[in-house]
Structures are given as structure tokens and as C-alpha cells.
Amino acid sequence: MSYSFTALQVERMLGDWRVEGPAYSRLAEAFEVMIADGRLPAGARLPAERTFATHCGLSRNTVTAAYRVLREQGYLTSGRGAGSFVLLPATEQKHRIPSSWAADQERQDIDLAIASLPAPESILGAATRRAALDLGQYSHLPGYDLVGAPELRQAIADRYTARGLPTGPEQIMVSAGADHALGLVIRLLSRPGDSVLVDSPTYPNALDTIRALRRRPLTVGLGMDGWDTDVLEAVLRQEKPALAYLMPDYHNPTGLVMPDGVRAAVAAAARASSTILVVDEATCELGLDGGSLPLPLASWAAPRQVVSIGSMSKTCWAGLRLGWVRAATPVISRLVDLRCVVDTGNPVMTQLIGLRVLESYDELLAERREMLLRRRQVLAESLARRIPQWRYTMPDGGFSLWVDLGARLSSPLALAAARRGVKILSGGRFGVDGTLENHIRIPFATDEESIATACDRLAGAWREVTSHRRGHA
Amino acid sequence: MSYSFTALQVERMLGDWRVEGPAYSRLAEAFEVMIADGRLPAGARLPAERTFATHCGLSRNTVTAAYRVLREQGYLTSGRGAGSFVLLPATEQKHRIPSSWAADQERQDIDLAIASLPAPESILGAATRRAALDLGQYSHLPGYDLVGAPELRQAIADRYTARGLPTGPEQIMVSAGADHALGLVIRLLSRPGDSVLVDSPTYPNALDTIRALRRRPLTVGLGMDGWDTDVLEAVLRQEKPALAYLMPDYHNPTGLVMPDGVRAAVAAAARASSTILVVDEATCELGLDGGSLPLPLASWAAPRQVVSIGSMSKTCWAGLRLGWVRAATPVISRLVDLRCVVDTGNPVMTQLIGLRVLESYDELLAERREMLLRRRQVLAESLARRIPQWRYTMPDGGFSLWVDLGARLSSPLALAAARRGVKILSGGRFGVDGTLENHIRIPFATDEESIATACDRLAGAWREVTSHRRGHA
């Protein structure tokens, strides 16, 4: 779980930090952002001061002073000759431990770091009351089960079949969400040191999981126009990654849909390179513009060559911790065998709740779409009014805008926003090695008033970082 | 997840298989038991036929014929010169996948392999309905949280305080059950190759987890009279294991309570050997004889030297998947950091249910104790009537009798019982390398009628294996 970062990696990740003010202080702030948003994880080893100063063309004093500030603030520990390692400061830890529960709510911060909808109270409350009644049918069971309730697996399979991908319950394992599923799939189908193709940008938690399991993310750029088939094919052919982690419906953070032609090409190239496609479809039922999606990516490839991951975290609520894997039955069987090292299955009760939620799923999805369309509109209008120079493609689905800032200022922007009470991830969190510093993801999952207020604060933060920049230039 | 077994290991595990009938067929059956109960896991490599025959003083033909039977039944695959590997046969897999759900209920088998109570329907149903109402207070939360609901952590901490071990919520992480917690604790506090002291017998899932994470179980015998302080101290001093996994209140499968003197000695020896005590207290609130327990083992050692694991799986229902870790706050913080590789926290809903269950916990525990006392009595009476020669110490708490058969016939007994519709683990499953073949665990967690029927069937199975033995001798 701890890495050494080279001077080159850190320099790239830092982006354009040289805004107005003392250099050491700006440099320390830029590090602080990278630590706070997890790009420099706890335990990571930073380049030595001298090496870093030489590499970046800075004075040694600047780097020494910045590291000292970070040590004083509790972000860094430096042993005798052992190098400098990232710490999560005590105050940060105190905040982190109760994290998303009530305590956090007392602060008036708007959280744009997580793209997640509130619980659909009436549908979920009704489903929970029904589950309490259903309990009688299951109370005799021991309550340990690694693969999941047959009824729920059938209901999940039916939704794949309805999407044009015939599926039986024996192809489904219920999981504790998409991240849990992804960790198991990576463990089963690859080895430490193997490379995993990912888009750039991609889902930050997937990057964390890939790295924590000591696989190497292999990025392929994804532009405003979508996937570059030629590059995808070339990387698959040349690098033969063990896995390719893709989000064709809808991509996070861009909201793009992978077109038919790309699906066909990726499936063919993956077959040739013996790469298994790991398809994360957590938002596939959250289309916003009424168009129909292409057939699922799993339809384009051989059964053993694709593993699909789904979740109710985005459509219903992350607090349910309910996701699943769809794969060939022998793969499901091996996943179940592997799973016992990690946990002993999903709670019966959340599975019963999930089953009832699926009975009202179309109603729920309609509510969610309407809610997200309104919120997307508020975000688009607020941005047009307050920061019209930011560019983005209106997404077809999902939860967020992927905004091109037109300048490599995402980290300073995130830091300035945090000071104004808006938590937001800088663009770099969606890529590796400090790319994507000219982008930021703005989710529209929070309520309309908070979105409008957040845009006001982001506009203030943007003025600050750009005026510093002008002053400095 | 795959191991090579030596001829010596397999011979020890086999126990006394030479009952009446053709040797190759009895040998194949003995292997079948070890595969079915998980001592020979899927993927395990068996000793070569010639080696095994020589080692055991058998004719090569006997071993070859036994391996052939196993291959034909789908338990074994043998590649060209690559050795013989354990398979889970297709039919077994078909049964395993829906496993504990309704499908299994259609068979009239009595399951004594799992020691687990049915859901307390009225208390759990009421708690679930209350949780549905509580949801409104939490629906605004994103629903991701690695450490758990502050209210639940407080309620769990309060129960430790009531047991005489002052505890704050910052010392608690909510987990998806005790096994999930144990896996995280082992990962955090030891490295592959490290040894982990365990009792013999011990909890089979703990052995599985220790082995699957590539730690080495180091067994210390636990007799009918309890722990041997001298041996525990000597093993800690000489082997300096990274961890010691103990169940002082109440031990599974024996139901023993570790006395004060052993607690003090183990804590002191562990301090000297820098061993961290991992204390599984899943059944500590299920005392049956009204006596009070000694202070928790964690009271006897320094805070950083003990990690305690608790669970509602035994007191309430395994289907809740709700457990916890109690440890020093810095250890909790590091566990939370590590956890994100495995899952992203417990469902909000089961935590809200758990909180309501804890409000009625004393009532629930009283119900459970009464139920278990009745069932223990039925089991004791049935055994006295049907198989009076089996010996055991009446347990103070927990779920099961640890029975001394007086002969190394546990595996043939389990196999004969399975043919009569009773699933039961052979004694060897609670130890390593084929020890404990003269014991069997009989849980009294199932209903009274099933316990009585199971004893009838066990008596028949016992007659079969002992008469074969007499015939053979």
C-alpha cells in the first residue's frame, strides 16, 4: 500500500502551481491538495528534496521550506535519511473516521467529491417494510451465502435479458457493490504486476483498487469526442493487458456512450490479445436523453471473455451496498470460491430489500432521471452564467460534467474551492501521473440549491486562481 | 489458494479408514470426505500414487484404483505427468451455488455442519420496520462509510464497557461479520509466511482464512480440561508468532472459558514475544449456565497488543452480516485505510437494524439462552440414550458439544452420516494435518426435533462404522 513517487511523476501531478505568493507556500498547498484528494496516498514516499529541486529547476530552499510546512501541518514525516512519507494529519483523520455520517453534515460544506444520490426515501422505506415481512420465509436459513439469493439473481438476470443480453441467474453473483466486485474480479483474473487497460479519465476508485492490488494501470486517452479505436486496438495488440476496465454505458466522468463500432473493435482486439473485458455498467440505467443504448458490450464478445459489473449504488443508494457480477458460470463459481477470503456474502436483508426495489425499478429510474435532468439543467445554467469560458460536452447519462478548464489549474482550483466550502476532486484524480490537470469533474447529484451555491463558490475560486496567475505572469 | 499435500499429511488426515470392504473403495470414500468438508480444498495437489502407496504401505494398485474412482466421480483431475488435483465435482457445485438458500431446504438433510441459529423473527422484523422509519434521518448521506455508523459504534462500545472493559466508539470499526474482520486484521498485522498461534481444535473458518492469506497456523492442543498454560507460554516464547487467534469466551468448538490465570499468563507471554492477541468473542454473550465471565482478555494486555472481534451472527443472525473490531484507535484507523481494497463499508440499513436489535439485546439474549439450553438438553439426552459411550464436557456457553468418539473414526462417521441425511464436519476440520480424527463437533443450534432425529441417524452411522471396524479387525 505504499509507493515511491519519482520527481517526474510528482512534477506532472503538481500541474501549474506557480500562482501569486511565496513559491514554497504555493508548492506546499499543491502537495496538500494531492494528499487530500488521495493522489499521494498515506505512506507514499516523496522524492528527496535535492532531487526534486534539481528536477523542477527550483531552489533547494523552496523545496525544503515547502516540505517543512507540510511536516508542521502533519502531512509529512521525515525520518533520519529514510526519506519523506505522506501522513494523514490527525485532524484530517478525525474528520475521516466519522466521514460521511451525521458529523460531516454539521459543517456547511457542499460535497462534490462524491457523485451519489440521496436514498429514495419512499421507495426504499416501502421496500424495507416489505423485506421485514418477507423475513419469515428466510428466517430458518443459516444466513451465510456467498453467491446471493436465487430470487434476486433471477431479477438481476432478467434486466440483462431485457437489455438484449440473455442471462440466467447462474451467471450472477451478488456483491457488496461495484468496488467490492471489481476487487474480486481483478484478484481472480489477473496477477500482481499484470497491466490493466483503463481510460483516461476513468473512475478513481477503480484506479485505487487496481493499484492497491499491485496491478499496473495502462491508460488510453479518451477525448471529448470519445474513444479512439485505433489507439485502443494498438494498445491491446502491443501490450496484451490481462484486463481492460471499461465503462461503455455511461462513462464516468464523461457521461459518454461507447458507439457500436468501438464495441465491435474492442471485442475483436481483446479476443486477439486474450484480454478480459471488465465492463462497469453502474450507471447504464441512468440515461438522460431518452435515446436507447447499443447492445451491452458483453453481447459483442465470447462469454468467457467478458465480466460485467452492475450496482444499485448509483440508481438507488450507495448505502444499500448491493452490486453484482455477470459472467460465465465457471467464472462465477471461481469468484465464489475466492470470495470467502474477503467476506462471507451479502446480508439477507439488503438482498430482500434490493429485490423489492427491483420490483419498483422502472418507477425509481423514472424519478431519478427526472431529478438528474433538473439538476443537470441547474448546473449548466449556473455555469453558463458564472463561468461561461469552461467547456464541456453535455452528457447522455450518468451524474457529472467533465469540464475543460482551458488551463492546468485543477488542483489550485480544488484547493481554493475547499477554502470556500466546496469539496471537489481535481481532474488529476481521474488519471495517472498528473495528467488531466486541465479538467475537473462537477457532479450534478446534489440538490439544486447546493449546485447553484457551489457554482457561485467555484466562480470565486476560479477568479482567485486565475487572477493570481495573471498577477504572476 | 492451491497447496501440495505430502503423503504424510494426507495419511494423518485420512485417519482410520480401513473398515470393512475393498480397500480401494474405502480409501476413495475417505478422500471424498476430506474433499467434501474442505480439508482438501479445490485445486489441492495430492501426493503421487506411487509415493503415497509406498508411504502408507499400500499396494500401488489400491491407490491407483482409489484415484480412478475419484476421477470418475469428478473429484480429481490428473494431467499428463502434472499430478492429481482436487476438483469440486459438477453436481457438488450445482448444490453449492444456491447453497444455503431455499433450494437446499427442499432436501430433508439436517445440517449440523453450520452452528448458526435461525433469525429471531419477531425482534428482527420489528428492528427492520424501525430501521425503515429511521431511514429518513440518513437518506441524505452518500451511503459510503468504511468505519460504520457512530451511533452503532457507540452502542457496541457500551457493551464492552458493561463487560468491564471501558471502550469508546473511536475504538470500534463495524464489519461484515467476524470472518471479514479477521481477514482484515490478519492482513494488517502480519505478513505472508508469518505464523499464527491457534488452538487445536479451533474455528475452521479462521484456519481457512489464515491459510488462504498464506500465514502458517501454529497449533497448541486444547484438552478437555482446557488450555495448557505451560505449552502456550513455551510456544509464544520459542516461536514468537505474529498473531495468536484465541476464543476465551466461549471457545468454539469446546465451549470452554479461559480462566483468569491463563489470561494473565497469555497476555504476559504475548507481550514478551511481541505477539498480537486476536480475540474472537462471537459467542461471549451466549453463556448458558448463568455464571459470570472473567474480564475480557483485552483487559489483561496493553491496548496496542490486543484486537477483539465481535459479531451478531451467533447472537442474532448470520444473515445480518454485522460484526466489529475493537482495537486501539490508531489500529482502527489503519484497518479503515486497508479496508477499501476489500469493500466500501457496511450497508446503512443493516447498521440501523443492528442498532435497534441492540436496544432489545438483553431480551434477545435471554430468548437465545433459553432456546439453546433446551436444545442442549435434547442433544445430551438423545446422545445418552443412543450413543452413551461418547464422552464430552458439558459446555458453559456457545453452540456445540465437542465429542470424544474414543476411536479415530470421525471421517468415516461423517461420511456414513451424510448417506443418512446428516451433514456434519469431521473433527479433522477443526485442526491441521489430520489431528482430531477421534472427535466430532455436534452443534445444538437446530430445532429440537431435528436434533433428536440427527442423533438417531448418527447412532446408525456409528453402528455402521464400528461394526465394519469390528468385522475388519
Tab-separated table of all heavy atoms in Angstrom, chain A residues 126-172:
chain	number	residue	atom	x	y	z
A	126	ALA	N	-40.533	1.710	1.703
A	126	ALA	CA	-41.559	0.695	1.422
A	126	ALA	C	-40.912	-0.669	1.190
A	126	ALA	O	-41.379	-1.693	1.695
A	126	ALA	CB	-42.379	1.118	0.198
A	127	ALA	N	-39.790	-0.674	0.452
A	127	ALA	CA	-39.095	-1.940	0.186
A	127	ALA	C	-38.586	-2.561	1.488
A	127	ALA	O	-38.628	-3.783	1.668
A	127	ALA	CB	-37.930	-1.710	-0.784
A	128	THR	N	-38.119	-1.716	2.405
A	128	THR	CA	-37.598	-2.232	3.677
A	128	THR	C	-38.724	-2.805	4.529
A	128	THR	O	-38.571	-3.862	5.156
A	128	THR	CB	-36.847	-1.117	4.430
A	128	THR	OG1	-35.845	-0.588	3.571
A	128	THR	CG2	-36.192	-1.647	5.699
A	129	ARG	N	-39.870	-2.108	4.538
A	129	ARG	CA	-41.009	-2.655	5.299
A	129	ARG	C	-41.458	-3.987	4.711
A	129	ARG	O	-41.771	-4.929	5.441
A	129	ARG	CB	-42.159	-1.639	5.320
A	129	ARG	CG	-41.892	-0.451	6.250
A	129	ARG	CD	-43.126	0.422	6.451
A	129	ARG	NE	-43.628	1.003	5.209
A	129	ARG	CZ	-43.159	2.132	4.655
A	129	ARG	NH1	-42.182	2.801	5.235
A	129	ARG	NH2	-43.663	2.593	3.541
A	130	ARG	N	-41.459	-4.084	3.376
A	130	ARG	CA	-41.814	-5.362	2.735
A	130	ARG	C	-40.807	-6.449	3.101
A	130	ARG	O	-41.173	-7.589	3.367
A	130	ARG	CB	-41.866	-5.212	1.202
A	130	ARG	CG	-43.106	-4.509	0.673
A	130	ARG	CD	-44.383	-5.263	1.043
A	130	ARG	NE	-44.380	-6.646	0.551
A	130	ARG	CZ	-44.901	-7.037	-0.601
A	130	ARG	NH1	-45.511	-6.167	-1.385
A	130	ARG	NH2	-44.849	-8.298	-0.978
A	131	ALA	N	-39.521	-6.070	3.104
A	131	ALA	CA	-38.477	-7.045	3.443
A	131	ALA	C	-38.667	-7.566	4.864
A	131	ALA	O	-38.418	-8.747	5.138
A	131	ALA	CB	-37.088	-6.422	3.274
A	132	ALA	N	-39.124	-6.688	5.773
A	132	ALA	CA	-39.368	-7.126	7.151
A	132	ALA	C	-40.447	-8.210	7.172
A	132	ALA	O	-40.368	-9.157	7.950
A	132	ALA	CB	-39.769	-5.936	8.025
A	133	LEU	N	-41.439	-8.079	6.288
A	133	LEU	CA	-42.484	-9.100	6.197
A	133	LEU	C	-41.961	-10.374	5.514
A	133	LEU	O	-42.332	-11.485	5.876
A	133	LEU	CB	-43.692	-8.570	5.415
A	133	LEU	CG	-44.395	-7.355	6.030
A	133	LEU	CD1	-45.500	-6.853	5.104
A	133	LEU	CD2	-44.966	-7.713	7.397
A	134	ASP	N	-41.098	-10.179	4.499
A	134	ASP	CA	-40.557	-11.323	3.765
A	134	ASP	C	-39.658	-12.193	4.640
A	134	ASP	O	-39.463	-13.384	4.353
A	134	ASP	CB	-39.720	-10.857	2.562
A	134	ASP	CG	-40.564	-10.112	1.539
A	134	ASP	OD1	-41.793	-10.302	1.538
A	134	ASP	OD2	-39.986	-9.343	0.744
A	135	LEU	N	-39.089	-11.571	5.680
A	135	LEU	CA	-38.102	-12.253	6.522
A	135	LEU	C	-38.530	-13.647	6.959
A	135	LEU	O	-37.712	-14.582	6.972
A	135	LEU	CB	-37.803	-11.364	7.742
A	135	LEU	CG	-36.885	-11.943	8.822
A	135	LEU	CD1	-35.480	-12.136	8.262
A	135	LEU	CD2	-36.830	-11.016	10.042
A	136	GLY	N	-39.819	-13.783	7.298
A	136	GLY	CA	-40.319	-15.075	7.774
A	136	GLY	C	-39.963	-16.241	6.869
A	136	GLY	O	-39.650	-17.335	7.346
A	137	GLN	N	-39.971	-16.008	5.548
A	137	GLN	CA	-39.657	-17.085	4.616
A	137	GLN	C	-38.192	-17.513	4.672
A	137	GLN	O	-37.827	-18.548	4.144
A	137	GLN	CB	-39.904	-16.639	3.167
A	137	GLN	CG	-41.347	-16.407	2.815
A	137	GLN	CD	-41.420	-15.691	1.472
A	137	GLN	OE1	-41.770	-14.513	1.428
A	137	GLN	NE2	-41.051	-16.380	0.397
A	138	TYR	N	-37.350	-16.640	5.223
A	138	TYR	CA	-35.910	-16.889	5.163
A	138	TYR	C	-35.286	-17.084	6.528
A	138	TYR	O	-34.121	-17.395	6.635
A	138	TYR	CB	-35.221	-15.720	4.447
A	138	TYR	CG	-35.727	-15.517	3.052
A	138	TYR	CD1	-36.818	-14.690	2.790
A	138	TYR	CD2	-35.145	-16.200	1.988
A	138	TYR	CE1	-37.305	-14.533	1.499
A	138	TYR	CE2	-35.622	-16.053	0.697
A	138	TYR	CZ	-36.707	-15.215	0.462
A	138	TYR	OH	-37.177	-15.074	-0.798
A	139	SER	N	-36.106	-16.917	7.594
A	139	SER	CA	-35.505	-16.878	8.933
A	139	SER	C	-34.903	-18.215	9.342
A	139	SER	O	-34.051	-18.268	10.211
A	139	SER	CB	-36.537	-16.411	9.961
A	139	SER	OG	-37.656	-17.262	9.937
A	140	HIS	N	-35.340	-19.308	8.700
A	140	HIS	CA	-34.758	-20.616	9.039
A	140	HIS	C	-33.373	-20.801	8.432
A	140	HIS	O	-32.658	-21.730	8.791
A	140	HIS	CB	-35.665	-21.740	8.538
A	140	HIS	CG	-35.756	-21.761	7.039
A	140	HIS	ND1	-36.582	-20.910	6.332
A	140	HIS	CD2	-35.091	-22.492	6.124
A	140	HIS	CE1	-36.426	-21.136	5.036
A	140	HIS	NE2	-35.538	-22.083	4.885
A	141	LEU	N	-32.993	-19.965	7.480
A	141	LEU	CA	-31.709	-20.146	6.806
A	141	LEU	C	-30.566	-19.744	7.725
A	141	LEU	O	-30.712	-18.844	8.542
A	141	LEU	CB	-31.655	-19.282	5.540
A	141	LEU	CG	-32.654	-19.617	4.450
A	141	LEU	CD1	-32.531	-18.608	3.324
A	141	LEU	CD2	-32.405	-21.027	3.930
A	142	PRO	N	-29.397	-20.396	7.542
A	142	PRO	CA	-28.273	-20.013	8.392
A	142	PRO	C	-27.809	-18.572	8.133
A	142	PRO	O	-27.254	-17.944	9.017
A	142	PRO	CB	-27.174	-21.021	8.029
A	142	PRO	CG	-27.613	-21.709	6.795
A	142	PRO	CD	-29.098	-21.553	6.679
A	143	GLY	N	-28.047	-18.075	6.914
A	143	GLY	CA	-27.707	-16.677	6.654
A	143	GLY	C	-26.325	-16.445	6.081
A	143	GLY	O	-25.908	-15.309	5.887
A	144	TYR	N	-25.584	-17.529	5.825
A	144	TYR	CA	-24.308	-17.411	5.121
A	144	TYR	C	-24.551	-17.792	3.680
A	144	TYR	O	-25.037	-18.890	3.419
A	144	TYR	CB	-23.271	-18.394	5.670
A	144	TYR	CG	-22.832	-18.133	7.077
A	144	TYR	CD1	-23.345	-18.870	8.128
A	144	TYR	CD2	-21.878	-17.164	7.341
A	144	TYR	CE1	-22.910	-18.646	9.430
A	144	TYR	CE2	-21.443	-16.926	8.631
A	144	TYR	CZ	-21.958	-17.671	9.676
A	144	TYR	OH	-21.538	-17.455	10.946
A	145	ASP	N	-24.200	-16.943	2.746
A	145	ASP	CA	-24.315	-17.339	1.350
A	145	ASP	C	-23.438	-16.455	0.488
A	145	ASP	O	-23.623	-15.237	0.445
A	145	ASP	CB	-25.750	-17.265	0.874
A	145	ASP	CG	-25.859	-17.905	-0.478
A	145	ASP	OD1	-26.094	-19.104	-0.548
A	145	ASP	OD2	-25.647	-17.177	-1.470
A	146	LEU	N	-22.494	-17.085	-0.218
A	146	LEU	CA	-21.510	-16.309	-0.959
A	146	LEU	C	-22.023	-15.821	-2.301
A	146	LEU	O	-21.519	-14.848	-2.839
A	146	LEU	CB	-20.254	-17.153	-1.181
A	146	LEU	CG	-19.448	-17.430	0.096
A	146	LEU	CD1	-18.440	-18.540	-0.143
A	146	LEU	CD2	-18.739	-16.168	0.559
A	147	VAL	N	-23.004	-16.471	-2.874
A	147	VAL	CA	-23.371	-16.150	-4.263
A	147	VAL	C	-24.610	-15.262	-4.326
A	147	VAL	O	-24.756	-14.468	-5.258
A	147	VAL	CB	-23.514	-17.449	-5.098
A	147	VAL	CG1	-24.704	-18.269	-4.657
A	147	VAL	CG2	-23.602	-17.141	-6.580
A	148	GLY	N	-25.480	-15.340	-3.332
A	148	GLY	CA	-26.635	-14.451	-3.303
A	148	GLY	C	-27.957	-15.169	-3.433
A	148	GLY	O	-28.018	-16.333	-3.841
A	149	ALA	N	-29.024	-14.465	-3.094
A	149	ALA	CA	-30.372	-15.039	-3.103
A	149	ALA	C	-30.790	-15.383	-4.529
A	149	ALA	O	-30.677	-14.553	-5.430
A	149	ALA	CB	-31.359	-14.033	-2.519
A	150	PRO	N	-31.295	-16.616	-4.751
A	150	PRO	CA	-31.683	-17.017	-6.112
A	150	PRO	C	-32.704	-16.061	-6.732
A	150	PRO	O	-32.610	-15.753	-7.921
A	150	PRO	CB	-32.290	-18.411	-5.905
A	150	PRO	CG	-31.788	-18.894	-4.596
A	150	PRO	CD	-31.481	-17.693	-3.765
A	151	GLU	N	-33.673	-15.590	-5.929
A	151	GLU	CA	-34.706	-14.702	-6.465
A	151	GLU	C	-34.084	-13.388	-6.960
A	151	GLU	O	-34.458	-12.861	-8.007
A	151	GLU	CB	-35.733	-14.360	-5.380
A	151	GLU	CG	-36.443	-15.560	-4.770
A	151	GLU	CD	-35.700	-16.179	-3.590
A	151	GLU	OE1	-34.450	-16.136	-3.564
A	151	GLU	OE2	-36.376	-16.704	-2.694
A	152	LEU	N	-33.134	-12.852	-6.168
A	152	LEU	CA	-32.501	-11.601	-6.565
A	152	LEU	C	-31.638	-11.811	-7.809
A	152	LEU	O	-31.633	-10.981	-8.731
A	152	LEU	CB	-31.656	-11.064	-5.402
A	152	LEU	CG	-30.898	-9.762	-5.668
A	152	LEU	CD1	-31.849	-8.626	-6.040
A	152	LEU	CD2	-30.056	-9.360	-4.454
A	153	ARG	N	-30.926	-12.953	-7.848
A	153	ARG	CA	-30.075	-13.216	-9.017
A	153	ARG	C	-30.938	-13.355	-10.272
A	153	ARG	O	-30.555	-12.897	-11.361
A	153	ARG	CB	-29.230	-14.461	-8.782
A	153	ARG	CG	-28.211	-14.233	-7.656
A	153	ARG	CD	-27.724	-15.525	-7.060
A	153	ARG	NE	-26.935	-16.289	-7.999
A	153	ARG	CZ	-26.864	-17.616	-8.024
A	153	ARG	NH1	-27.566	-18.334	-7.157
A	153	ARG	NH2	-26.122	-18.222	-8.908
A	154	GLN	N	-32.130	-13.964	-10.125
A	154	GLN	CA	-33.052	-14.065	-11.259
A	154	GLN	C	-33.500	-12.677	-11.711
A	154	GLN	O	-33.513	-12.372	-12.909
A	154	GLN	CB	-34.259	-14.914	-10.857
A	154	GLN	CG	-35.282	-15.116	-11.969
A	154	GLN	CD	-34.744	-15.997	-13.087
A	154	GLN	OE1	-34.380	-17.138	-12.855
A	154	GLN	NE2	-34.660	-15.462	-14.306
A	155	ALA	N	-33.852	-11.827	-10.754
A	155	ALA	CA	-34.339	-10.485	-11.102
A	155	ALA	C	-33.249	-9.658	-11.782
A	155	ALA	O	-33.515	-8.898	-12.722
A	155	ALA	CB	-34.851	-9.776	-9.847
A	156	ILE	N	-32.018	-9.812	-11.322
A	156	ILE	CA	-30.899	-9.093	-11.945
A	156	ILE	C	-30.659	-9.640	-13.358
A	156	ILE	O	-30.480	-8.874	-14.309
A	156	ILE	CB	-29.626	-9.232	-11.073
A	156	ILE	CG1	-29.795	-8.470	-9.748
A	156	ILE	CG2	-28.398	-8.743	-11.822
A	156	ILE	CD1	-28.765	-8.810	-8.678
A	157	ALA	N	-30.689	-10.972	-13.483
A	157	ALA	CA	-30.502	-11.593	-14.802
A	157	ALA	C	-31.567	-11.097	-15.785
A	157	ALA	O	-31.279	-10.809	-16.952
A	157	ALA	CB	-30.553	-13.118	-14.675
A	158	ASP	N	-32.808	-10.966	-15.298
A	158	ASP	CA	-33.908	-10.526	-16.172
A	158	ASP	C	-33.653	-9.133	-16.751
A	158	ASP	O	-34.060	-8.843	-17.874
A	158	ASP	CB	-35.234	-10.529	-15.396
A	158	ASP	CG	-35.715	-11.939	-15.078
A	158	ASP	OD1	-35.159	-12.906	-15.661
A	158	ASP	OD2	-36.633	-12.079	-14.244
A	159	ARG	N	-33.006	-8.272	-15.973
A	159	ARG	CA	-32.747	-6.931	-16.512
A	159	ARG	C	-31.701	-6.972	-17.624
A	159	ARG	O	-31.764	-6.184	-18.574
A	159	ARG	CB	-32.355	-5.953	-15.400
A	159	ARG	CG	-33.511	-5.669	-14.429
A	159	ARG	CD	-33.410	-4.322	-13.734
A	159	ARG	NE	-33.701	-3.204	-14.604
A	159	ARG	CZ	-34.906	-2.631	-14.745
A	159	ARG	NH1	-35.939	-3.079	-14.077
A	159	ARG	NH2	-35.058	-1.605	-15.561
A	160	TYR	N	-30.720	-7.873	-17.522
A	160	TYR	CA	-29.787	-8.040	-18.645
A	160	TYR	C	-30.540	-8.547	-19.868
A	160	TYR	O	-30.325	-8.080	-20.986
A	160	TYR	CB	-28.672	-9.026	-18.295
A	160	TYR	CG	-27.579	-8.452	-17.429
A	160	TYR	CD1	-27.527	-8.714	-16.069
A	160	TYR	CD2	-26.592	-7.637	-17.983
A	160	TYR	CE1	-26.514	-8.194	-15.270
A	160	TYR	CE2	-25.581	-7.108	-17.197
A	160	TYR	CZ	-25.553	-7.392	-15.836
A	160	TYR	OH	-24.553	-6.865	-15.065
A	161	THR	N	-31.404	-9.543	-19.646
A	161	THR	CA	-32.155	-10.105	-20.767
A	161	THR	C	-32.979	-9.000	-21.429
A	161	THR	O	-33.016	-8.902	-22.660
A	161	THR	CB	-33.049	-11.259	-20.268
A	161	THR	OG1	-32.218	-12.215	-19.595
A	161	THR	CG2	-33.767	-11.941	-21.408
A	162	ALA	N	-33.596	-8.143	-20.615
A	162	ALA	CA	-34.397	-7.039	-21.164
A	162	ALA	C	-33.535	-6.056	-21.949
A	162	ALA	O	-34.014	-5.399	-22.877
A	162	ALA	CB	-35.132	-6.315	-20.030
A	163	ARG	N	-32.263	-5.946	-21.595
A	163	ARG	CA	-31.351	-5.057	-22.331
A	163	ARG	C	-30.815	-5.733	-23.594
A	163	ARG	O	-29.954	-5.172	-24.295
A	163	ARG	CB	-30.185	-4.631	-21.447
A	163	ARG	CG	-30.564	-3.627	-20.353
A	163	ARG	CD	-29.420	-3.417	-19.356
A	163	ARG	NE	-28.217	-2.947	-20.024
A	163	ARG	CZ	-26.977	-3.162	-19.586
A	163	ARG	NH1	-26.770	-3.863	-18.491
A	163	ARG	NH2	-25.939	-2.699	-20.243
A	164	GLY	N	-31.257	-6.946	-23.880
A	164	GLY	CA	-30.859	-7.615	-25.118
A	164	GLY	C	-29.725	-8.604	-24.928
A	164	GLY	O	-29.133	-9.070	-25.896
A	165	LEU	N	-29.389	-8.902	-23.664
A	165	LEU	CA	-28.302	-9.827	-23.376
A	165	LEU	C	-28.877	-10.976	-22.545
A	165	LEU	O	-28.968	-10.885	-21.317
A	165	LEU	CB	-27.208	-9.087	-22.589
A	165	LEU	CG	-25.978	-9.881	-22.157
A	165	LEU	CD1	-25.204	-10.372	-23.386
A	165	LEU	CD2	-25.076	-9.017	-21.275
A	166	PRO	N	-29.298	-12.073	-23.211
A	166	PRO	CA	-29.947	-13.166	-22.472
A	166	PRO	C	-29.045	-13.671	-21.346
A	166	PRO	O	-27.862	-13.945	-21.567
A	166	PRO	CB	-30.126	-14.251	-23.548
A	166	PRO	CG	-30.098	-13.499	-24.851
A	166	PRO	CD	-29.158	-12.353	-24.640
A	167	THR	N	-29.599	-13.759	-20.144
A	167	THR	CA	-28.808	-14.065	-18.952
A	167	THR	C	-29.638	-14.919	-18.005
A	167	THR	O	-30.829	-14.674	-17.825
A	167	THR	CB	-28.391	-12.747	-18.256
A	167	THR	OG1	-27.644	-11.946	-19.180
A	167	THR	CG2	-27.538	-13.010	-17.010
A	168	GLY	N	-28.996	-15.908	-17.396
A	168	GLY	CA	-29.653	-16.725	-16.376
A	168	GLY	C	-29.062	-16.426	-14.997
A	168	GLY	O	-27.959	-15.871	-14.899
A	169	PRO	N	-29.789	-16.798	-13.936
A	169	PRO	CA	-29.331	-16.500	-12.578
A	169	PRO	C	-27.989	-17.147	-12.239
A	169	PRO	O	-27.256	-16.644	-11.398
A	169	PRO	CB	-30.440	-17.063	-11.684
A	169	PRO	CG	-31.236	-17.978	-12.539
A	169	PRO	CD	-31.084	-17.503	-13.947
A	170	GLU	N	-27.664	-18.264	-12.942
A	170	GLU	CA	-26.391	-18.937	-12.648
A	170	GLU	C	-25.197	-18.122	-13.139
A	170	GLU	O	-24.060	-18.433	-12.801
A	170	GLU	CB	-26.388	-20.344	-13.265
A	170	GLU	CG	-26.291	-20.406	-14.782
A	170	GLU	CD	-27.594	-20.026	-15.503
A	170	GLU	OE1	-28.613	-19.800	-14.820
A	170	GLU	OE2	-27.570	-19.933	-16.748
A	171	GLN	N	-25.475	-17.059	-13.909
A	171	GLN	CA	-24.397	-16.186	-14.372
A	171	GLN	C	-24.199	-14.970	-13.464
A	171	GLN	O	-23.439	-14.062	-13.785
A	171	GLN	CB	-24.698	-15.692	-15.789
A	171	GLN	CG	-24.609	-16.779	-16.845
A	171	GLN	CD	-25.187	-16.301	-18.169
A	171	GLN	OE1	-26.375	-16.472	-18.441
A	171	GLN	NE2	-24.362	-15.669	-18.982
A	172	ILE	N	-24.924	-14.914	-12.347
A	172	ILE	CA	-24.899	-13.731	-11.477
A	172	ILE	C	-24.373	-14.088	-10.090
A	172	ILE	O	-24.789	-15.079	-9.495
A	172	ILE	CB	-26.322	-13.148	-11.306
A	172	ILE	CG1	-26.972	-12.829	-12.666
A	172	ILE	CG2	-26.317	-11.920	-10.387
A	172	ILE	CD1	-26.341	-11.690	-13.424
